[in-house]
Coordinates of all heavy atoms in Angstrom, one line a residue:
M1092 N 10.3 5.3 19.6 CA 11.6 4.9 19.0 C 11.5 5.1 17.5 O 10.5 4.7 16.9 CB 12.0 3.5 19.4 CG 13.2 3.1 18.6 SD 13.9 1.4 19.0 CE 12.6 0.4 19.5
L1093 N 12.5 5.7 16.9 CA 12.6 5.8 15.5 C 13.1 4.5 14.9 O 14.0 4.0 15.4 CB 13.6 7.0 15.2 CG 13.8 7.4 13.7 CD1 12.6 8.0 13.1 CD2 15.0 8.3 13.7
T1094 N 12.4 4.1 13.8 CA 12.8 2.8 13.2 C 13.1 3.1 11.7 O 12.6 4.0 11.1 CB 11.8 1.8 13.3 OG1 10.6 2.1 12.5 CG2 11.3 1.5 14.7
L1095 N 14.0 2.2 11.1 CA 14.3 2.3 9.7 C 13.0 2.0 8.9 O 12.8 2.6 7.9 CB 15.3 1.2 9.3 CG 16.7 1.6 9.6 CD1 17.7 0.4 9.2 CD2 17.2 2.8 8.9
R1096 N 12.1 1.2 9.4 CA 10.9 0.9 8.7 C 10.0 2.1 8.6 O 9.4 2.4 7.5 CB 10.1 -0.2 9.4 CG 8.9 -0.7 8.7 CD 9.3 -1.4 7.4 NE 8.1 -1.9 6.7 CZ 8.0 -2.1 5.4 NH1 9.0 -1.8 4.7 NH2 6.9 -2.6 4.9
Q1097 N 10.0 3.0 9.6 CA 9.2 4.2 9.5 C 9.8 5.1 8.4 O 9.1 5.7 7.7 CB 9.2 5.0 10.9 CG 8.4 4.3 11.9 CD 8.7 4.9 13.3 OE1 9.7 5.5 13.6 NE2 7.8 4.6 14.2
L1098 N 11.1 5.2 8.4 CA 11.8 6.0 7.4 C 11.5 5.5 6.0 O 11.2 6.3 5.1 CB 13.3 6.0 7.6 CG 13.8 6.5 9.0 CD1 15.3 6.5 9.1 CD2 13.2 7.9 9.3
Q1099 N 11.5 4.2 5.8 CA 11.2 3.6 4.5 C 9.8 3.8 4.1 O 9.5 4.1 2.9 CB 11.5 2.1 4.6 CG 13.0 1.7 4.7 CD 13.2 0.3 5.1 OE1 12.4 -0.4 5.8 NE2 14.4 -0.3 4.7
I1100 N 8.9 3.7 5.1 CA 7.5 4.0 4.7 C 7.3 5.4 4.4 O 6.5 5.7 3.4 CB 6.6 3.5 5.9 CG1 6.5 2.0 6.0 CG2 5.2 4.1 5.8 CD1 5.9 1.4 7.2
F1101 N 7.9 6.3 5.1 CA 7.8 7.8 4.8 C 8.2 8.0 3.3 O 7.5 8.7 2.6 CB 8.6 8.6 5.8 CG 8.7 10.0 5.4 CD1 7.6 10.8 5.4 CD2 9.9 10.6 5.1 CE1 7.6 12.2 5.0 CE2 10.0 12.0 4.7 CZ 8.8 12.8 4.7
V1102 N 9.4 7.5 2.9 CA 9.9 7.7 1.6 C 8.9 7.1 0.6 O 8.6 7.6 -0.5 CB 11.3 7.1 1.4 CG1 11.7 7.1 0.0 CG2 12.3 8.0 2.3
A1103 N 8.3 5.9 0.9 CA 7.4 5.2 0.0 C 6.1 6.0 -0.1 O 5.6 6.1 -1.2 CB 7.1 3.8 0.6
V1104 N 5.6 6.7 0.9 CA 4.4 7.5 0.8 C 4.7 8.7 -0.1 O 3.9 9.0 -1.0 CB 4.0 8.0 2.2 CG1 2.9 9.1 2.1 CG2 3.4 6.8 3.0
V1105 N 5.9 9.3 0.1 CA 6.2 10.5 -0.8 C 6.2 10.0 -2.2 O 5.7 10.7 -3.1 CB 7.6 11.1 -0.4 CG1 8.0 12.1 -1.4 CG2 7.4 11.7 1.0
R1106 N 6.9 8.9 -2.5 CA 7.0 8.4 -3.9 C 5.6 8.0 -4.4 O 5.3 8.3 -5.6 CB 7.9 7.1 -3.9 CG 8.1 6.6 -5.3 CD 9.0 5.3 -5.3 NE 8.5 4.3 -4.5 CZ 9.0 3.8 -3.3 NH1 10.1 4.3 -2.8 NH2 8.4 2.8 -2.7
A1107 N 4.8 7.3 -3.6 CA 3.5 6.9 -4.1 C 2.5 8.0 -4.2 O 1.5 7.9 -5.0 CB 2.9 5.8 -3.2
G1108 N 2.6 9.1 -3.4 CA 1.7 10.2 -3.5 C 0.5 10.0 -2.6 O -0.3 11.0 -2.6
S1109 N 0.3 8.9 -2.0 CA -0.8 8.7 -1.1 C -0.6 7.5 -0.2 O 0.2 6.7 -0.5 CB -2.1 8.5 -1.9 OG -2.2 7.1 -2.3
F1110 N -1.3 7.6 1.0 CA -1.1 6.5 1.9 C -1.7 5.2 1.4 O -1.2 4.1 1.6 CB -1.9 6.9 3.3 CG -1.2 7.9 4.1 CD1 -0.2 8.7 3.6 CD2 -1.6 8.2 5.4 CE1 0.4 9.7 4.3 CE2 -1.0 9.2 6.1 CZ 0.0 9.9 5.6
R1111 N -2.8 5.4 0.6 CA -3.5 4.2 0.1 C -2.6 3.5 -0.9 O -2.4 2.3 -0.9 CB -4.8 4.6 -0.6 CG -5.6 3.4 -1.2 CD -6.8 3.9 -2.0 NE -6.5 4.8 -3.0 CZ -5.9 4.6 -4.2 NH1 -5.6 3.3 -4.5 NH2 -5.7 5.5 -5.1
R1112 N -2.1 4.2 -1.9 CA -1.2 3.6 -2.9 C 0.0 3.0 -2.3 O 0.5 2.0 -2.7 CB -0.8 4.6 -4.0 CG -1.9 4.8 -5.0 CD -1.5 5.6 -6.2 NE -1.0 7.0 -5.9 CZ -1.8 8.1 -6.0 NH1 -3.1 7.9 -6.3 NH2 -1.3 9.2 -5.7
C1113 N 0.6 3.7 -1.3 CA 1.8 3.2 -0.6 C 1.4 1.8 0.1 O 2.2 0.9 0.0 CB 2.2 4.2 0.5 SG 3.6 3.6 1.4
A1114 N 0.3 1.8 0.7 CA -0.2 0.6 1.4 C -0.3 -0.6 0.4 O 0.2 -1.7 0.6 CB -1.5 0.8 2.1
E1115 N -0.9 -0.3 -0.8 CA -1.0 -1.3 -1.8 C 0.3 -1.8 -2.3 O 0.6 -3.0 -2.5 CB -1.8 -0.7 -3.0 CG -3.3 -0.5 -2.7 CD -4.0 0.3 -3.7 OE1 -3.4 0.7 -4.8 OE2 -5.3 0.5 -3.6
E1116 N 1.3 -0.9 -2.5 CA 2.6 -1.2 -3.0 C 3.4 -2.1 -2.0 O 4.1 -3.0 -2.4 CB 3.4 0.1 -3.4 CG 2.9 0.8 -4.6 CD 3.6 2.1 -4.8 OE1 4.6 2.4 -4.1 OE2 3.1 2.9 -5.7
L1117 N 3.2 -1.8 -0.7 CA 4.0 -2.5 0.3 C 3.2 -3.7 0.8 O 3.8 -4.4 1.6 CB 4.3 -1.5 1.4 CG 5.2 -0.3 1.1 CD1 5.5 0.6 2.3 CD2 6.5 -0.8 0.5
G1118 N 2.0 -3.9 0.4 CA 1.2 -5.0 0.9 C 0.8 -4.8 2.4 O 0.8 -5.8 3.1
L1119 N 0.6 -3.6 2.8 CA 0.2 -3.3 4.2 C -1.2 -2.6 4.2 O -1.6 -2.2 3.1 CB 1.2 -2.4 4.9 CG 2.7 -2.9 5.0 CD1 3.6 -1.8 5.4 CD2 2.7 -4.1 5.9
S1120 N -1.8 -2.5 5.4 CA -3.0 -1.8 5.4 C -2.8 -0.3 5.5 O -1.7 0.2 5.9 CB -3.8 -2.2 6.7 OG -3.2 -1.7 7.9
Q1121 N -3.7 0.5 5.0 CA -3.6 1.9 5.1 C -3.5 2.4 6.5 O -2.8 3.3 6.8 CB -4.8 2.6 4.4 CG -4.7 4.1 4.3 CD -5.8 4.7 3.4 OE1 -6.4 4.0 2.6 NE2 -6.0 6.0 3.6
V1122 N -4.2 1.7 7.4 CA -4.1 2.1 8.8 C -2.7 1.9 9.4 O -2.2 2.8 10.1 CB -5.1 1.2 9.7 CG1 -4.9 1.4 11.2 CG2 -6.5 1.5 9.3
S1123 N -2.0 0.8 9.0 CA -0.6 0.6 9.4 C 0.3 1.7 8.9 O 1.1 2.2 9.6 CB -0.2 -0.8 8.9 OG 1.2 -1.0 9.2
I1124 N 0.1 2.1 7.6 CA 0.9 3.2 7.0 C 0.7 4.5 7.8 O 1.6 5.1 8.2 CB 0.6 3.4 5.6 CG1 0.9 2.2 4.7 CG2 1.2 4.7 5.0 CD1 2.3 1.8 4.7
S1125 N -0.6 4.8 8.1 CA -0.9 6.0 8.9 C -0.3 6.0 10.2 O 0.2 7.0 10.7 CB -2.5 6.2 9.0 OG -3.0 6.4 7.7
E1126 N -0.4 4.8 10.9 CA 0.2 4.7 12.2 C 1.7 4.9 12.2 O 2.3 5.6 13.1 CB -0.1 3.3 12.8 CG -1.6 3.2 13.2 CD -1.9 1.7 13.6 OE1 -1.1 0.8 13.4 OE2 -3.1 1.5 14.1
Q1127 N 2.4 4.3 11.2 CA 3.8 4.5 11.1 C 4.2 6.0 10.9 O 5.2 6.5 11.5 CB 4.4 3.6 10.0 CG 4.3 2.1 10.3 CD 5.1 1.7 11.5 OE1 6.2 2.2 11.7 NE2 4.6 0.8 12.3
I1128 N 3.5 6.6 10.0 CA 3.8 8.0 9.7 C 3.5 8.9 11.0 O 4.2 9.8 11.3 CB 3.0 8.5 8.5 CG1 3.4 7.8 7.2 CG2 3.1 10.1 8.3 CD1 4.9 8.0 6.8
R1129 N 2.4 8.6 11.6 CA 2.0 9.4 12.8 C 3.1 9.2 13.9 O 3.5 10.2 14.6 CB 0.7 8.9 13.4 CG 0.0 9.8 14.4 CD -1.4 9.5 14.7 NE -2.2 9.5 13.5 CZ -2.8 8.4 13.0 NH1 -2.7 7.2 13.6 NH2 -3.6 8.5 11.9
A1130 N 3.6 8.0 14.1 CA 4.7 7.7 15.1 C 5.9 8.4 14.7 O 6.6 9.0 15.6 CB 4.9 6.2 15.2
L1131 N 6.3 8.5 13.4 CA 7.4 9.2 12.9 C 7.3 10.7 13.2 O 8.2 11.3 13.7 CB 7.7 8.9 11.4 CG 8.9 9.6 10.8 CD1 10.2 9.2 11.5 CD2 8.9 9.3 9.3
E1132 N 6.1 11.2 12.9 CA 5.9 12.6 13.1 C 6.0 13.0 14.6 O 6.6 14.0 15.0 CB 4.5 13.0 12.6 CG 4.4 13.1 11.1 CD 3.0 13.4 10.6 OE1 2.0 12.9 11.3 OE2 2.8 14.0 9.6
Q1133 N 5.5 12.1 15.5 CA 5.6 12.4 16.9 C 7.1 12.3 17.3 O 7.5 13.2 18.1 CB 4.8 11.3 17.7 CG 3.3 11.6 17.6 CD 2.5 10.5 18.3 OE1 3.0 9.4 18.6 NE2 1.3 10.8 18.6
R1134 N 7.8 11.3 16.8 CA 9.2 11.2 17.2 C 10.1 12.4 16.7 O 10.9 12.9 17.4 CB 9.8 9.9 16.6 CG 11.3 9.7 16.9 CD 11.5 9.4 18.4 NE 12.8 9.1 18.7 CZ 13.7 9.9 19.2 NH1 13.4 11.1 19.5 NH2 15.0 9.5 19.4
L1135 N 9.8 12.9 15.5 CA 10.5 14.0 15.0 C 10.0 15.4 15.5 O 10.6 16.4 15.3 CB 10.4 14.0 13.4 CG 11.1 12.8 12.7 CD1 10.9 12.9 11.2 CD2 12.5 12.7 13.1
G1136 N 8.8 15.3 16.0 CA 8.2 16.6 16.5 C 7.8 17.5 15.4 O 7.8 18.8 15.6
A1137 N 7.4 17.0 14.3 CA 7.0 17.8 13.1 C 5.9 17.1 12.3 O 6.0 15.9 12.2 CB 8.2 18.0 12.3
Q1138 N 5.0 17.9 11.8 CA 4.0 17.4 10.9 C 4.7 17.2 9.5 O 5.2 18.2 8.9 CB 2.8 18.3 10.8 CG 1.7 17.7 10.0 CD 0.5 18.6 10.0 OE1 0.3 19.4 10.9 NE2 -0.4 18.4 9.1
L1139 N 4.7 16.0 8.9 CA 5.4 15.8 7.7 C 4.4 15.9 6.5 O 4.9 16.2 5.4 CB 6.0 14.4 7.7 CG 7.0 14.1 8.8 CD1 7.4 12.6 8.8 CD2 8.2 15.0 8.7
F1140 N 3.1 15.7 6.7 CA 2.1 15.9 5.7 C 0.9 16.7 6.2 O 0.6 16.6 7.4 CB 1.5 14.5 5.3 CG 2.5 13.6 4.6 CD1 3.2 12.6 5.4 CD2 2.9 13.7 3.3 CE1 4.1 11.7 4.8 CE2 3.8 12.9 2.7 CZ 4.4 11.9 3.4
D1141 N 0.3 17.5 5.3 CA -1.0 18.0 5.5 C -1.9 17.0 5.0 O -1.8 16.6 3.8 CB -1.1 19.4 4.8 CG -0.3 20.5 5.5 OD1 -0.2 20.5 6.7 OD2 0.2 21.4 4.8
R1142 N -2.9 16.6 5.8 CA -3.8 15.6 5.4 C -5.1 16.3 4.9 O -5.6 17.1 5.7 CB -4.1 14.6 6.5 CG -2.9 13.7 6.7 CD -2.9 13.2 8.2 NE -1.8 12.3 8.5 CZ -0.6 12.7 8.9 NH1 -0.3 14.0 9.0 NH2 0.4 11.8 9.1
V1143 N -5.6 15.9 3.8 CA -6.8 16.5 3.2 C -7.8 15.3 3.1 O -7.6 14.4 2.4 CB -6.5 17.0 1.8 CG1 -7.8 17.6 1.2 CG2 -5.4 18.0 1.8
P1144 N -8.9 15.5 3.9 CA -9.9 14.4 3.9 C -10.4 14.1 2.4 O -10.8 15.0 1.7 CB -11.1 15.0 4.7 CG -10.4 16.0 5.6 CD -9.3 16.6 4.8
G1145 N -10.3 12.9 2.1 CA -10.7 12.5 0.7 C -9.7 12.8 -0.4 O -10.0 12.5 -1.5
G1146 N -8.6 13.4 0.0 CA -7.6 13.7 -1.0 C -6.2 13.2 -0.6 O -6.0 12.5 0.4
S1147 N -5.3 13.4 -1.4 CA -3.9 13.0 -1.2 C -3.2 13.9 -0.2 O -3.4 15.1 -0.1 CB -3.1 13.0 -2.5 OG -3.7 12.1 -3.4
P1148 N -2.3 13.3 0.6 CA -1.6 14.1 1.6 C -0.6 15.0 0.8 O -0.1 14.6 -0.2 CB -0.8 13.1 2.4 CG -0.7 11.9 1.5 CD -1.9 11.9 0.7
V1149 N -0.4 16.2 1.4 CA 0.5 17.1 0.8 C 1.7 17.3 1.8 O 1.6 17.6 3.0 CB -0.1 18.5 0.6 CG1 0.8 19.5 0.1 CG2 -1.4 18.4 -0.2
I1150 N 2.9 17.0 1.2 CA 4.1 17.1 2.1 C 4.4 18.5 2.5 O 4.2 19.4 1.7 CB 5.4 16.5 1.3 CG1 6.5 16.2 2.3 CG2 5.7 17.3 0.1 CD1 7.6 15.4 1.8
T1151 N 4.7 18.7 3.8 CA 5.0 20.0 4.3 C 6.4 20.4 4.0 O 7.2 19.6 3.6 CB 4.7 20.0 5.8 OG1 5.7 19.1 6.5 CG2 3.3 19.6 6.2
Q1152 N 6.7 21.7 4.4 CA 8.1 22.2 4.2 C 9.0 21.3 5.1 O 10.1 20.9 4.6 CB 8.2 23.6 4.7 CG 9.5 24.2 4.7 CD 9.8 25.0 3.4 OE1 8.9 25.3 2.7 NE2 11.1 25.3 3.2
K1153 N 8.6 21.0 6.3 CA 9.4 20.2 7.2 C 9.5 18.8 6.7 O 10.5 18.1 6.8 CB 8.9 20.2 8.6 CG 9.1 21.5 9.3 CD 8.7 21.5 10.8 CE 8.9 22.9 11.4 NZ 8.6 22.9 12.8
G1154 N 8.4 18.3 6.0 CA 8.4 17.0 5.4 C 9.4 16.9 4.3 O 10.1 15.9 4.1
R1155 N 9.5 18.0 3.5 CA 10.5 18.0 2.4 C 11.9 18.0 2.9 O 12.8 17.3 2.4 CB 10.3 19.2 1.5 CG 9.1 19.1 0.5 CD 9.0 20.2 -0.5 NE 8.8 21.5 0.0 CZ 7.6 21.9 0.4 NH1 6.5 21.2 0.2 NH2 7.4 23.2 0.9
A1156 N 12.2 18.7 4.0 CA 13.5 18.7 4.5 C 13.9 17.4 5.1 O 15.0 16.9 4.9 CB 13.6 19.8 5.6
A1157 N 12.9 16.8 5.8 CA 13.1 15.5 6.4 C 13.3 14.4 5.3 O 14.2 13.6 5.4 CB 11.9 15.1 7.3
H1158 N 12.6 14.5 4.2 CA 12.7 13.6 3.1 C 14.1 13.6 2.6 O 14.7 12.5 2.3 CB 11.6 13.9 2.0 CG 11.7 12.9 0.9 ND1 12.3 13.2 -0.3 CD2 11.1 11.7 0.8 CE1 12.2 12.2 -1.1 NE2 11.4 11.3 -0.5
A1159 N 14.6 14.7 2.3 CA 16.0 14.8 1.8 C 17.0 14.1 2.7 O 17.9 13.4 2.3 CB 16.4 16.3 1.6
R1160 N 16.9 14.4 4.0 CA 17.8 13.7 5.0 C 17.6 12.3 5.1 O 18.5 11.5 5.1 CB 17.7 14.4 6.3 CG 18.2 15.8 6.3 CD 18.4 16.4 7.7 NE 19.4 15.7 8.4 CZ 19.5 15.7 9.7 NH1 18.6 16.4 10.4 NH2 20.4 15.0 10.3
I1161 N 16.3 11.8 5.1 CA 16.0 10.4 5.2 C 16.5 9.6 4.0 O 17.0 8.5 4.1 CB 14.5 10.2 5.5 CG1 14.2 10.7 6.9 CG2 14.1 8.8 5.3 CD1 12.7 10.9 7.2
V1162 N 16.4 10.2 2.8 CA 16.9 9.5 1.6 C 18.4 9.3 1.7 O 18.9 8.3 1.4 CB 16.5 10.3 0.3 CG1 17.3 9.8 -0.9 CG2 15.0 10.3 0.0
D1163 N 19.1 10.3 2.2 CA 20.5 10.2 2.4 C 20.8 9.1 3.5 O 21.7 8.3 3.3 CB 21.1 11.5 2.9 CG 21.2 12.5 1.8 OD1 21.2 12.2 0.6 OD2 21.4 13.7 2.1
I1164 N 20.1 9.1 4.6 CA 20.3 8.1 5.6 C 20.1 6.7 5.1 O 20.9 5.8 5.3 CB 19.3 8.3 6.8 CG1 19.8 9.6 7.5 CG2 19.3 7.1 7.8 CD1 18.8 10.2 8.5
L1165 N 18.9 6.5 4.3 CA 18.7 5.2 3.8 C 19.7 4.8 2.7 O 20.0 3.6 2.7 CB 17.2 5.1 3.2 CG 16.1 5.3 4.2 CD1 14.8 5.3 3.5 CD2 16.1 4.1 5.2
G1166 N 20.2 5.7 2.0 CA 21.3 5.4 1.1 C 22.5 4.9 1.8 O 23.2 4.0 1.3
S1167 N 22.8 5.6 2.9 CA 24.0 5.2 3.7 C 23.8 3.8 4.3 O 24.8 3.0 4.3 CB 24.3 6.2 4.8 OG 24.7 7.4 4.3
V1168 N 22.6 3.5 4.7 CA 22.3 2.2 5.3 C 22.5 1.1 4.2 O 23.1 0.1 4.4 CB 20.9 2.1 5.9 CG1 20.5 0.7 6.2 CG2 20.8 3.0 7.1
D1169 N 22.0 1.4 3.0 CA 22.1 0.5 1.8 C 23.6 0.2 1.5 O 24.0 -0.9 1.1 CB 21.4 1.0 0.6 CG 19.9 0.8 0.7 OD1 19.4 0.1 1.6 OD2 19.1 1.5 0.0
D1170 N 24.4 1.3 1.6 CA 25.8 1.1 1.3 C 26.6 0.2 2.3 O 27.6 -0.3 2.0 CB 26.5 2.5 1.4 CG 26.2 3.4 0.2 OD1 25.6 2.8 -0.8 OD2 26.4 4.6 0.2
L1171 N 26.0 0.0 3.5 CA 26.6 -0.9 4.5 C 26.6 -2.3 3.9 O 27.4 -3.1 4.2 CB 25.9 -0.8 5.8 CG 26.1 0.4 6.7 CD1 25.2 0.3 7.9 CD2 27.5 0.5 7.1

């Protein structure tokens, strides 16, 4: 199931530039962040980040497209 929390975490990872920094900013474990992103990728059927061992994740083309739509969705939710 797709959740708003997954969308929020995805946007936070993009903003933070890494799963680790995102986890620190949100007060969550890095494992939790990774699990949420993995679940979102499975639900969307697309890889959102290229993961580089020991490096920062790189957003994919599909990730960039998803990010633009998700920012709009979260903006609409905030407007409610």
Side-chain angles (χ1 to χ4, degrees):
M1092 172 176 29
L1093 182 68
T1094 67
L1095 282 177
R1096 187 67 176 150
Q1097 289 168 340
L1098 302 181
Q1099 292 165 332
I1100 287 172
F1101 172 64
V1102 170
V1104 170
V1105 172
R1106 183 181 59 248
S1109 78
F1110 289 12
R1111 181 188 54 77
R1112 280 192 297 266
C1113 177
E1115 290 170 359
E1116 289 175 9
L1117 298 179
L1119 300 170
S1120 71
Q1121 186 173 339
V1122 170
S1123 177
I1124 298 297
S1125 294
E1126 288 172 351
Q1127 292 296 321
I1128 296 299
R1129 196 171 301 114
L1131 179 60
E1132 288 176 326
Q1133 287 177 344
R1134 179 69 175 101
L1135 297 179
Q1138 185 174 343
L1139 302 175
F1140 295 100
D1141 287 323
R1142 290 155 178 87
V1143 180
S1147 296
V1149 178
I1150 193 166
T1151 63
Q1152 178 96 14
K1153 289 183 180 184
R1155 282 191 294 278
H1158 182 262
R1160 292 195 60 203
I1161 290 168
V1162 167
D1163 287 342
I1164 290 166
L1165 293 176
S1167 294
V1168 168
D1169 286 343
D1170 288 345
L1171 285 175

